[in-house]
Amino acid sequence: PHRALPVHGWLRARQRAEISTRRMAGISAVLVEVAAGVRPGEPLLRRGGEDVSANRLKAAGAQQAARAARDEAARQVARMDTLLSADAVSRVQRDQAVLALSQAQAQVAMAEAAVHEVETAEGYATIRAPFAGTVVARYVDAGDLASPGVPLLVFQSEGQRDVVLAVSAGVAANLRGGDTPTVTAPPDPRRAAPGRGRSPPPRRAPRSRRAAG
């Protein structure tokens, strides 16, 4: 026989993330509001944006200058090859031009590595949504200082929800995974929905996404 048991419960999203940082960081921009729906990978927060932008411009300028110097060194080697074939310069002069080209190529490689490093830092500065869902809490504003591990935003998935019920130990002892209880929400008993029971997983800290940096 079916029995009706009054129990307390709540709805819980299948996925939930507390957005925080691993290091002390200044928040330069908060790009979402509470109740905003976002897509996977959509920016939520930016940290220390001014320094990152300045470093990006500096690295890009150094890369452009290094490439221009390399191209000029390559043209100089071509000229030296032409002059050497006409016995207008010595081989030593031509070898010096080749050495200058090698040094310029090394400078380009260093500049490109610096650009990659800045791009990586810029990626860390932007904290993005780990999955599609909704922002359900916001604890930070632009200009605030974020402390390691302290939640800045709480984010959860949409779609199906789990109903978490608090039942007595005696009732729980008679429940099995796969049971199909019907949950009725007052005050309207017509708002009832069947569900499939699951054993609770071991207790653990809520899954969180922490920005590296």
Side-chain angles (χ1 to χ4, degrees):
H2 297 287
R3 292 187 300 162
L5 297 174
V7 295
H8 295 286
W10 61 94
L11 292 175
R12 182 177 63 187
R14 292 286 175 91
Q15 289 181 293
R16 185 177 185 274
E18 292 183 353
I19 308 300
S20 61
T21 64
R22 292 178 181 171
R23 299 180 183 178
M24 191 80 70
I27 301 300
S28 60
V30 182
L31 307 176
V32 293
E33 298 291 341
V34 173
V38 297
R39 300 180 301 274
E42 185 171 338
L44 302 176
L45 299 166
R46 288 201 179 98
R47 304 174 299 163
E50 294 180 0
D51 291 341
V52 172
S53 298
N55 290 339
R56 182 179 68 250
L57 293 175
K58 181 179 178 181
Q63 182 187 48
Q64 185 176 2
R67 287 176 174 175
R70 177 202 58 194
D71 295 344
E72 178 57 32
R75 287 191 290 268
Q76 182 66 8
V77 169
R79 285 193 293 267
M80 285 294 176
D81 286 340
T82 300
L83 294 173
L84 182 62
S85 63
D87 291 329
V89 295
S90 67
R91 181 166 292 278
V92 172
Q93 290 175 294
R94 189 266 181 186
D95 290 344
Q96 289 175 339
V98 171
L99 177 61
L101 175 59
S102 297
Q103 292 172 338
Q105 289 171 333
Q107 290 296 320
V108 170
M110 291 176 61
E112 289 176 345
V115 169
H116 178 71
E117 183 177 348
V118 169
E119 289 174 346
T120 300
E122 189 171 25
Y124 286 146
T126 300
I127 302 177
R128 300 179 181 274
F131 44 80
T134 301
V135 177
V136 296
R138 169 179 166 174
Y139 305 113
V140 67
D141 293 306
D144 289 350
L145 187 64
S147 298
V150 176
L152 307 176
L153 298 172
V154 179
F155 183 81
Q156 68 183 26
S157 63
E158 293 296 337
Q160 291 185 327
R161 295 285 192 269
D162 288 330
V163 178
V164 181
L165 302 177
V167 299
S168 67
V171 172
N174 294 319
L175 296 177
R176 298 291 182 270
D179 286 351
T180 54
T182 297
V183 178
T184 301
D188 186 354
R190 293 172 298 176
R191 297 177 59 189
R196 184 170 296 277
R198 291 187 298 171
S199 299
R203 293 185 62 84
R204 59 184 179 184
R207 188 177 66 177
S208 63
R209 180 182 179 86
R210 298 173 183 269

